[in-house]
Coordinates of all heavy atoms in Angstrom, one line a residue:
A71 N 70.9 -5.4 -24.4 CA 70.8 -5.8 -23.0 C 69.4 -5.9 -22.5 O 69.0 -6.8 -21.8 CB 71.6 -4.8 -22.1
L72 N 68.5 -5.0 -23.0 CA 67.2 -5.1 -22.6 C 66.4 -6.3 -23.1 O 65.4 -6.8 -22.5 CB 66.4 -3.9 -23.1 CG 66.8 -2.5 -22.5 CD1 66.1 -1.3 -23.1 CD2 66.7 -2.5 -21.0
L73 N 66.9 -6.9 -24.2 CA 66.3 -8.1 -24.8 C 67.0 -9.3 -24.6 O 66.7 -10.4 -25.1 CB 66.1 -7.9 -26.3 CG 64.9 -7.0 -26.6 CD1 64.9 -6.6 -28.1 CD2 63.6 -7.6 -26.3
G74 N 68.1 -9.3 -23.8 CA 68.9 -10.4 -23.5 C 69.6 -11.0 -24.7 O 69.8 -12.2 -24.9
L75 N 70.1 -10.1 -25.6 CA 70.7 -10.5 -26.8 C 72.2 -10.2 -26.8 O 72.8 -10.0 -27.8 CB 70.0 -9.7 -28.0 CG 68.6 -10.2 -28.2 CD1 68.0 -9.3 -29.4 CD2 68.4 -11.6 -28.5
L76 N 72.8 -10.0 -25.7 CA 74.3 -9.7 -25.6 C 75.0 -11.0 -25.8 O 74.6 -12.0 -25.6 CB 74.6 -9.2 -24.2 CG 74.0 -7.8 -23.9 CD1 74.2 -7.5 -22.3 CD2 74.7 -6.7 -24.7
P77 N 76.2 -10.8 -26.3 CA 77.1 -12.0 -26.5 C 77.6 -12.6 -25.2 O 77.4 -12.0 -24.1 CB 78.3 -11.5 -27.3 CG 78.3 -10.0 -27.0 CD 76.9 -9.6 -26.8
A78 N 78.2 -13.8 -25.3 CA 78.5 -14.6 -24.1 C 79.6 -13.8 -23.2 O 79.7 -14.0 -22.0 CB 79.0 -15.9 -24.5
N79 N 80.3 -13.0 -23.8 CA 81.4 -12.3 -23.1 C 81.0 -11.0 -22.4 O 81.8 -10.1 -22.0 CB 82.7 -12.1 -24.0 CG 82.4 -11.0 -25.1 OD1 81.3 -10.9 -25.5 ND2 83.4 -10.3 -25.4
A80 N 79.7 -10.7 -22.4 CA 79.1 -9.6 -21.8 C 78.6 -9.8 -20.5 O 78.0 -10.8 -20.2 CB 78.1 -8.9 -22.7
E81 N 78.8 -8.8 -19.6 CA 78.1 -8.8 -18.3 C 77.3 -7.6 -18.1 O 77.7 -6.5 -18.3 CB 79.3 -8.8 -17.2 CG 80.1 -10.1 -17.2 CD 81.3 -10.0 -16.2 OE1 81.5 -8.8 -15.7 OE2 81.9 -11.0 -15.9
A82 N 76.0 -7.8 -17.7 CA 75.1 -6.7 -17.5 C 74.6 -6.6 -16.1 O 74.4 -7.7 -15.5 CB 73.8 -6.8 -18.4
R83 N 74.6 -5.5 -15.5 CA 74.0 -5.3 -14.2 C 73.0 -4.1 -14.2 O 72.9 -3.3 -15.1 CB 75.1 -5.1 -13.1 CG 76.0 -3.9 -13.4 CD 77.0 -3.7 -12.3 NE 77.9 -2.6 -12.5 CZ 77.6 -1.3 -12.2 NH1 76.3 -1.0 -11.7 NH2 78.4 -0.3 -12.4
G84 N 72.3 -4.0 -13.0 CA 71.3 -2.9 -12.9 C 70.0 -3.6 -13.0 O 69.8 -4.8 -12.9
T85 N 68.9 -2.8 -13.2 CA 67.5 -3.3 -13.4 C 66.9 -2.5 -14.6 O 67.2 -1.4 -15.0 CB 66.7 -3.0 -12.2 OG1 66.7 -1.6 -11.9 CG2 67.3 -3.7 -10.9
A86 N 66.0 -3.3 -15.2 CA 65.2 -2.7 -16.3 C 63.8 -3.3 -16.1 O 63.4 -4.4 -16.7 CB 65.7 -3.1 -17.7
W87 N 63.0 -2.5 -15.4 CA 61.7 -3.0 -14.9 C 60.6 -2.7 -15.9 O 60.3 -1.6 -16.2 CB 61.3 -2.5 -13.6 CG 60.3 -3.3 -12.8 CD1 59.0 -3.0 -12.8 CD2 60.6 -4.5 -12.1 NE1 58.4 -4.1 -12.1 CE2 59.3 -5.0 -11.7 CE3 61.7 -5.2 -11.8 CZ2 59.3 -6.1 -10.9 CZ3 61.6 -6.5 -11.2 CH2 60.4 -6.8 -10.7
L88 N 60.0 -3.9 -16.4 CA 58.8 -3.7 -17.3 C 57.6 -3.8 -16.4 O 57.3 -4.9 -15.8 CB 58.9 -4.8 -18.4 CG 57.9 -4.7 -19.6 CD1 58.2 -3.5 -20.4 CD2 57.9 -5.9 -20.4
A89 N 56.8 -2.8 -16.4 CA 55.6 -2.7 -15.4 C 54.6 -3.7 -15.7 O 54.5 -4.3 -16.8 CB 55.1 -1.3 -15.5
A90 N 53.8 -4.0 -14.7 CA 52.7 -4.9 -14.8 C 51.7 -4.5 -15.8 O 51.0 -5.4 -16.4 CB 52.0 -5.1 -13.4
S91 N 51.6 -3.3 -16.2 CA 50.6 -2.8 -17.2 C 51.0 -3.4 -18.5 O 50.2 -3.6 -19.4 CB 50.6 -1.3 -17.3 OG 51.9 -0.8 -17.5

Side-chain angles (χ1 to χ4, degrees):
L72 295 178
L73 284 170
L75 297 176
L76 293 170
N79 68 327
E81 297 175 344
R83 63 175 176 82
T85 59
W87 200 260
L88 192 64
S91 57

